[in-house]
Amino acid sequence: MKELLEKILEENRHWTKKGKVATYIPALAKADPKILGITVIDIDGKAVTVGDCDTKFTLQSISKPLALMLALMDKGTDEVFSKVGMEPTGDPFNSIIKLETLRTGKPLNPMINAGAIATTALIEGQSGGEKIERLLEFVRLLAGNKDIRVNEEVYRSEQETGDRNRAMAYFMKDLGVLEADVDQILEVYFRQCAIEVTCSDIAHMARCLANKGNIAGKQIIPHEIVRLTNTFMVTCGMYNASGEFAIKVGIPAKSGVSGGIMALVPGKMGIGIIGPALNKIGNSIAGVHMLEDLSRALDLSIF
Ligand code: GLN
């Protein structure tokens, strides 16, 4: 496995020059576009790591499936899906247009920003601080890493500039999709996006999802919630490139604008990738190509 990953990483390194790091959150603009790393953890827990895997990065949209699972465990499917739908959008991740044209204002799915903000609002806790602490504990448990924290600089940077997310949240509040205080919901959402991890952390989380929610014999997440979340990752996880990704790679995956991708092969492995140079849609450009090659080499597509 190590040799295969080294070969795939070297063959795809050139893509990092063709992508651009995200700049709309100013703190993310500091990322080095040349960074590239991958960790694969098989179902028995054996990890193989290649490239820049010590690099820390923030979860950004990779936090969306995690917040979804916690909200589903807190509130159940009926309540969660009364506030957010189950359909792909075909629009960019930060699109606002369908919120108005659909009239209900109910976001189409929990993997786009509007849907993730509505999902985060459903996480239980007396205060914003308690909600983010519960999500952090959940992430630490899935990753098997007690030291995972929020990157305060990235959090502040998005808090200061995230006016499009703020606009969506106020709009959803007006329509009754959001019921709690908008500032508090956004504080939790911006903090969840700024949770700092490594490739190995997200590969561990993905391995739990590949293993039907089980870690070392303990059922951490009900299997039904894992099934639902993996399905969302297949249909919506790579934004408006999810269809092409399903054809070319064919596994559940979720990307974030920091350049991370969390992917998994059910029953087989968890995969974590970092490559901050992004393609036009906002997915790690070299990361997507590496997953294509890995899927082809090991025949990983679930379809
Ligand atoms: N924090 C980012 C935002 O809300 C997450 C988006 C992403 O990773 N695509 O815009």
Side-chain angles (χ1 to χ4, degrees), residues 195-213:
I195 293 173
E196 198 169 55
V197 291
T198 62
C199 282
S200 160
D201 292 327
I202 57 174
H204 270 103
M205 294 190 235
R207 175 178 167 267
C208 175
L209 299 184
N211 202 26
K212 301 184 175 178

Side-chain angles (χ1 to χ4, degrees), residues 70-83:
L70 192 56
L72 285 167
M73 287 193 281
D74 282 350
K75 296 277 167 49
T77 44
D78 287 354
E79 188 167 345
V80 170
F81 294 116
S82 73
K83 298 291 190 190

Side-chain angles (χ1 to χ4, degrees), residues 24-25 28 59-62 64 93-94 113 117 158 165 189-190 193-194 239 254-258 282:
Y24 77 99
I25 300 173
L28 296 185
L59 283 175
Q60 299 303 332
S61 285
I62 300 171
K64 290 169 180 169
F93 64 85
N94 58 357
N113 288 13
I117 292 167
E158 187 164 21
N165 286 325
Y189 174 74
F190 291 146
C193 289
Y239 316 124
K254 184 74 206 82
S255 62
V257 284
S258 52

